[in-house]
Amino acid sequence: MNEFISICVELSVGLFALLLLTKVMGRASLSESTPFDFISMIVVGDFVSDAIYDPQTHVFKVIFTILFWGILIYLIDIITLKYHQSRGFFESQPALIINKGQIDREIMKKNRVDMNHLQMLLRDRDIFSLREIEFAILEPNGKISVLRKSEYEQTKRKDLKLANQAVSLPITLISDGTIIEKNLRLIGKTEAWLIDELKRHSVDEPDQIMVAEWRNEDGLFIQRIRS
């Protein structure tokens, strides 16, 4: 019985101590975790769980563990606020992944982002076509910030009293130089048709293409692999 009471006390203390620690870390860490914040919370959670289920560990060790770790995090926050140069070590840096409409393949490789992942991040921002983007920045929290091209800025058609138009979902036909055959079949096209379309854009081989997508409203959009 005493063992169960001890577990309940340690769990309660651990819970409130972790809540206090998240308050100290600030709202930014709660809303958008950086890799450093993520690692910090995993380490603290692991410390607390080990302390709670180790019969040799007293509740004061739980408090000490969280308190000491919280002090370390607080000190690091102060260092990064006062000394700008230290941020590169403790925090990830934003990466310009699309610059003036061009995808930077080297930046993608450096950040281990492939085309499928990039497109998923863009869809999460309600952007379904790469042709709409002027600049895109991969943030330290893993999300992407986007500046659209001026012609794709979000103005509602009803604001301009324009007639409605049909909207179709862009289909990726080539990704990282590889033809996606199932997507060709989805739009009722063949590989021979795609090769002809590439030749019209002065492209000899699909492996020269970073991404190619099809949309019914405005046809084929391609972006070459930058040499």
Side-chain angles (χ1 to χ4, degrees), residues 41-146:
M41 297 313 297
I42 287 179
V43 171
V44 172
D46 192 48
F47 281 159
V48 172
S49 63
D50 288 345
I52 288 172
Y53 296 106
D54 185 352
Q56 304 299 321
T57 301
H58 196 272
V59 67
F60 290 109
K61 285 190 177 181
V62 177
I63 297 174
F64 174 78
T65 299
I66 296 175
L67 179 62
F68 182 71
W69 190 254
I71 291 172
L72 287 178
I73 294 173
Y74 184 71
L75 289 174
I76 290 172
D77 286 341
I78 292 176
I79 291 170
T80 55
L81 284 171
K82 288 189 174 183
Y83 304 100
H84 186 272
Q85 296 84 350
S86 65
R87 296 177 187 177
F89 179 78
F90 290 109
E91 302 173 358
S92 301
Q93 297 298 311
L96 185 61
I97 208 164
I98 299 179
N99 186 9
K100 295 182 179 179
Q102 294 293 319
I103 300 172
D104 193 322
R105 200 180 193 194
E106 293 304 314
I107 295 295
M108 288 182 65
K109 286 181 179 179
K110 184 177 179 180
N111 289 274
R112 294 177 176 82
V113 176
D114 58 29
M115 281 304 306
N116 290 339
H117 189 198
L118 176 60
Q119 290 173 310
M120 179 196 72
L121 292 173
L122 292 172
R123 288 193 296 270
D124 192 50
R125 296 296 310 276
D126 295 326
I127 297 175
F128 290 84
S129 176
L130 289 162
R131 73 190 79 193
E132 300 179 14
I133 304 166
E134 186 71 11
F135 298 99
I137 298 173
L138 184 66
E139 302 291 358
N141 59 17
K143 294 189 177 183
I144 197 165
S145 300
V146 175

Side-chain angles (χ1 to χ4, degrees), residues 8-23:
C8 290
V9 171
E10 290 175 349
L11 280 172
S12 299
V13 171
L15 173 62
F16 286 104
L18 285 173
L19 286 173
L20 181 61
L21 179 59
T22 56
K23 292 286 186 180

Side-chain angles (χ1 to χ4, degrees), residues 3 40 68 79 102 152 176-177 199:
E3 181 181 350
S40 297
F68 182 71
I79 291 170
Q102 294 293 319
Y152 292 105
D176 288 320
K199 289 180 179 178

